Amino acid sequence: ADRLLLNSGGINMGAVGSGGKKSSTAKLTSVSDAAYSSFTKSVKKAMKRSVVKGVERSGTGRAENMNEKTRGGAMDGNVRLLITRAINNGLIRHCNGVVKEGKEAIVYHAEASNDLNDSSSVNNVNGDFDVAVKVFKRIQEFKGRGEYMDNDPRYHGKKFRNAAKREQVELWAEKEYRNLIRASRGGVPVPLPIMHKENVLFMRFLGENGWPAPQLRELDIKRGSKKWTVLYCQTCMAIRRLYHCARLVHADISEYNVLVCPMSQVFDDRQDDNGSEELQIVLIDFGQAVERNHPSAMKYLRRDLSLIRSFFSKQYITTLTDEECEEFIVKEPVVEDGLTEDEEEICASTDDLSEKVNNELVSKEGVTEWRHDIKGWDVEKDLAWLEERLAHLKKSDRI
């Protein structure tokens, strides 16, 4: 059989025939078939590392065309079947490829079908935007997420660590979907959730022409710019609204889980008032978000606020201290006219939500009206106080 031949100058593709005569006059050494196979595999592997198709695994970029193997245990046959069904049911037209990859999930870009309508979601949606397909990997990292699940009344009696690997991933995807619904209905800037199935989550794609909206850390804004102060105020207001109107604590907010995009992609009904070009921060990755009556909710909230303050402080702007920011977030809205008996009963019951009410959040739209229709809630007043306080602190620093 023909074999690869090596010499001191490199690789020679000469061969040794059955008669034992060499096809080259150079000094050659024969290599076994097993060694040759190992060599070709290493060459292919090296070439694969040097060629990047679309985006890097840890990077960000335009959606690649991807019709190939499973990535990180995400795009398996079952997921392909779910995406095919989404296409056949008129949810999306086709799936383009990967735009973002993290340790627990991969986000694909897809084009929404013209048939996308209200029946596809618990929210009012239409087909005038692209769709993000978030596929959660079936990996071991979910084993350590039990602290975010076991004390959630919506999953009472389900021990996350005792669940099978497949069930853990699906529970985590379901939890993110339900948290997104609550946050979206509460007026929190989040990607609009569309549909959830097993370990796949469909939501509105934030970005343009297949390019995802940048993370907070990716913004190219001059340090000390007033734009950083605006983004900081938006982030604090979003956390406060999440805490009161959706009654959730994110538990993983950082510059990696905050996107920045045009406001028209988040609040369709506000684009005429604020202009579609005005930028808006968006909170993402809600799988670990917990209810604010969770035993560790305040610990998670303080961790979030500390990370946010640390990032914005590095941009050379004035920020609240962790203690003052926490006080601003948890401060109850001021009720001037008083509550009716029905409103008092509702407010009293919200701190001890039953599992039944939480289960109805997904299936019954009217249940969530009280969550963001809070008596005394005044966004403009809260924002004015925050801006005034930051201005005062900045002036004090100069003195």
Side-chain angles (χ1 to χ4, degrees), residues 97-114:
V98 178
V99 292
K100 207 75 170 179
E101 179 171 3
K103 61 182 180 181
E104 67 180 30
I106 298 179
V107 179
Y108 294 83
H109 170 270
E111 294 182 13
S113 169
N114 294 329

Side-chain angles (χ1 to χ4, degrees), residues 5-19:
L5 301 175
L6 303 178
N7 60 24
S8 59
I11 301 175
N12 187 303
M13 298 308 293
V16 179
S18 58

Side-chain angles (χ1 to χ4, degrees), residues 37-56:
S37 299
S38 177
F39 170 77
T40 54
K41 287 181 180 179
S42 64
V43 170
K44 290 180 180 179
K45 188 175 182 181
M47 291 179 63
K48 186 175 181 180
R49 285 197 300 267
S50 63
V51 179
V52 178
K53 183 179 181 182
V55 297
E56 293 182 349

Side-chain angles (χ1 to χ4, degrees), residues 261-268 270 274-276 278-280:
C261 69
M263 185 174 289
S264 60
Q265 294 187 10
V266 187
F267 303 112
D268 288 331
R270 301 185 189 182
N274 298 315
S276 59
E278 185 174 349
L279 295 181
Q280 171 68 47

